[in-house]
Structures are given as C-alpha cells and as structure tokens.
Amino acid sequence: MIIVEPCAGLGNRFLGMASAYHWAKQTGDELTVLWKTERVMGAVNEAVFSLPEDIKIIHAKDFGYKDKPFSTLKYQLLEKKLRKKADYFSDVGTTYDLFVEKGNAYYEEVMKNNDLKFIRAFSQFHDFNGIERPLEFIKPVKYVSDKADAVIENIDSASNIGVHIRRTDNQVCINNSPIEVFIDAMEKEIENDSKATFYIASDDLETILELKKRFGERVYYMSEKNFERDSDKGIADAFAELICLSHSKKIIGSFYSTYSRIAALLSGIELEVVKKDN
C-alpha cells in the first residue's frame, strides 16, 4: 500500500497525488490519500475534485494549537501512527531531494522492497515522461467545471495564451517575474499572431486589471473569484482557474511557481516561464 500526504498548496498537492497514483498503477499497490485541511489549503477535497473510487481518502485538520488544538492533536497522533506502521517513510524535504538526486530508479526500489509506504510530498516523485496527461485522474466537481466553462466558452483556444502571474506572498516570483516581463512576452505573441488573446490568472486583482487596461479586449479573466486559500470556494475557484489557463495553446508562467506548471500539465501544452535578466 502507498499512503501519500500531499502538502502545501493546490498545485503542489496535485503533483504529490499524481506521483503516488502513477506509482500505484505501475506496482499494483492500493492507494490512500491523507488530505489535510490547513491555513494554506482550507478546502476539503470533495468541494474541489474527486478521485477514482478505488482510492481511499483520509481526512485530517491542522490549523494550529491556538485555533483548533483538538484537531491538530488528532492529526499529529494519526501521522505518528502511520509513520510507526510504515515500512518506509519519507518527509517532504527528503521526498523532493531524493527524486532530484536519484530519480525514478530510487523510488522503484522503494516500491518494490516495502509493503507499506507513507510519503509526504509537496512535489513530484514520479517521472511523468511518456504520460500524456498525468493529472487526468483528478476530476473537477460540478461547481468547478461550471465555473470554468462559463469563462472558456467565450475563448478560442487556438489563438489564446494562458498567462499566470504569481504575486502576494511569493517574493521569489515577484522579484524574478515582474509584470514587465509578462507585458513583453504578450506583445511578442501579438506580433506573431494578430488574433492573439490572453487569459490572465493571478492572485492579485490589480495586476489583472492593469493588463486588462493595457491590452483591452484581448484579455479575459475570471471576474468573480474568491481569493481566499482557507475556504472551500477559494480553492475551488483556484482549480477552475487552472482549467481556464489550460484552455490555451501555451502558458506564459511565473518563475518558481508550481501553479503555472500544473496548468500546462492539465492539457499537455507548452509552458514558457518568463523572468527578468539578472
């Protein structure tokens, strides 16, 4: 059996779940997902997506001792119990480092030589090369698909470019991918295709409106969106936005952003990461 605890934000969690899913398919292991709600991920999975019926889901909460001490204690006891039972355990940093250093070969041995594997991951630990759409098993709930459809029904994917601009708390993205590099990239796309349009996704409304003012009717965006990360609706809207981004011929994405990559992986399209020259 593989137990995966996907960690951090939505994009990171999708990578962790997808890695475990494809290992389980490859090895024939049963798969259990430990889905934890917390400040950076306040949604239960049922409000956002569904998984194949043969995948078991365990729910937990961890909002800190100050706010919800009992829930936090229950989660910590559960995680401690799973670690103790597991033949193999890997925490988030180790999971990432081992995949970067040793790749698929290392995890092939882990899967083969251990009955119960408990892996915490905010990143990929399976090579997706050769898998056309590695996230296809993650199905949006009706609210998410309806929200996305209401936007993309007006967009021609053949001439549309998805643009993801990460802001708020991600200083690495802000420093390396300022709005100017996105403007330059968008202007180049217009030079190459006079019909080019852009779907803009960002966690900062002012950034979206600035680009709308500059590029006018070429720009589409989700006009009604919940930006909260600690609510079901906020995370559901984030998944809907990923689908909107993926309804494009390519993605122009932010440096050091998993979300940009996930948008490209959803439909198997090109990702161009833009950053300033240092």
Side-chain angles (χ1 to χ4, degrees):
M1 175 185 285
I2 302 170
I3 300 174
V4 64
E5 182 184 344
C7 300
L10 189 65
N12 299 84
R13 291 190 180 210
F14 279 5
L15 286 179
M17 283 196 300
S19 297
Y21 173 77
H22 290 291
W23 277 121
K25 282 189 66 177
Q26 185 173 326
T27 63
D29 275 299
E30 294 179 3
L31 176 59
T32 295
V33 174
L34 172 56
W35 185 265
K36 179 178 67 176
T37 52
E38 55 186 333
R39 292 194 184 284
V40 296
M41 175 54 64
V44 293
N45 73 285
E46 292 93 338
V48 183
F49 63 87
S50 64
L51 298 175
E53 291 183 356
D54 59 343
I55 298 177
K56 181 181 177 181
I57 301 175
I58 302 172
H59 295 94
K61 297 178 181 179
D62 184 12
F63 286 88
Y65 279 111
K66 184 177 179 180
D67 294 327
K68 298 185 179 181
F70 183 65
S71 296
T72 297
L73 181 60
K74 281 183 65 178
Y75 162 72
Q76 290 179 345
L77 290 173
L78 172 62
E79 189 188 51
K80 185 177 180 180
K81 179 181 177 181
L82 293 175
R83 289 192 189 201
K84 189 174 181 180
K85 288 176 61 177
D87 301 300
Y88 174 86
F89 170 73
S90 176
D91 213 340
V92 286
T94 303
T95 303
Y96 172 80
D97 290 342
L98 287 171
F99 184 69
V100 170
E101 293 172 14
K102 301 182 179 181
N104 253 30
Y106 173 81
Y107 283 99
E108 284 176 354
E109 292 298 311
V110 167
M111 299 299 159
K112 182 173 66 175
N113 296 326
N114 299 278
D115 291 329
L116 177 57
K117 288 80 67 171
F118 177 28
I119 299 174
R120 302 183 75 239
F122 59 67
S123 56
Q124 182 178 344
F125 59 95
H126 189 290
D127 188 347
F128 297 151
N129 286 337
I131 303 174
E132 186 175 350
R133 295 191 180 182
L135 306 177
E136 196 169 26
F137 71 101
I138 304 172
K139 302 297 184 183
V141 299
K142 187 176 186 300
Y143 169 84
V144 171
S145 56
D146 287 350
K147 189 79 180 271
D149 288 345
V151 177
I152 62 181
E153 66 181 3
N154 300 310
I155 300 175
D156 179 6
S157 62
S159 57
N160 189 66
I161 311 294
V163 180
H164 172 237
I165 306 177
R166 182 75 160 86
R167 288 296 175 260
T168 62
D169 62 337
N170 194 323
Q171 200 60 46
V172 176
C173 287
I174 295 169
N175 292 343
N176 287 275
S177 297
I179 193 169
E180 291 79 16
V181 297
F182 290 97
I183 291 171
D184 288 346
M186 292 166 69
E187 288 177 343
K188 287 177 183 177
E189 293 294 339
I190 294 171
E191 289 176 11
N192 294 330
D193 179 5
S194 62
K195 296 181 179 179
T197 59
F198 306 95
Y199 178 82
I200 311 294
S202 178
D203 49 1
D204 178 56
L205 181 58
E206 288 186 8
T207 296
I208 297 172
L209 295 178
E210 183 176 343
L211 292 175
K212 177 66 175 175
K213 183 177 180 180
R214 185 180 185 99
F215 292 98
E217 294 183 356
R218 292 182 186 272
V219 165
Y220 296 88
Y221 66 99
M222 191 177 291
S223 57
E224 295 184 11
K225 184 176 71 170
N226 188 312
F227 288 86
E228 298 170 351
R229 297 182 191 177
D230 59 354
S231 70
D232 286 346
K233 192 173 181 182
I235 300 301
D237 284 0
F239 190 13
E241 187 122 89
L242 279 171
I243 296 170
C244 293
L245 278 170
S246 71
H247 188 74
S248 308
K249 63 180 182 180
K250 69 180 285 188
I251 302 288
I252 298 173
S254 295
F255 178 78
Y256 203 68
S257 172
T258 303
Y259 194 88
S260 295
R261 184 180 174 218
I262 294 298
L265 280 174
L266 278 176
S267 53
I269 56 178
E270 176 192 353
L271 170 63
E272 177 189 348
V273 175
V274 292
K275 65 189 292 285
K276 67 181 181 181
D277 295 329
N278 292 320

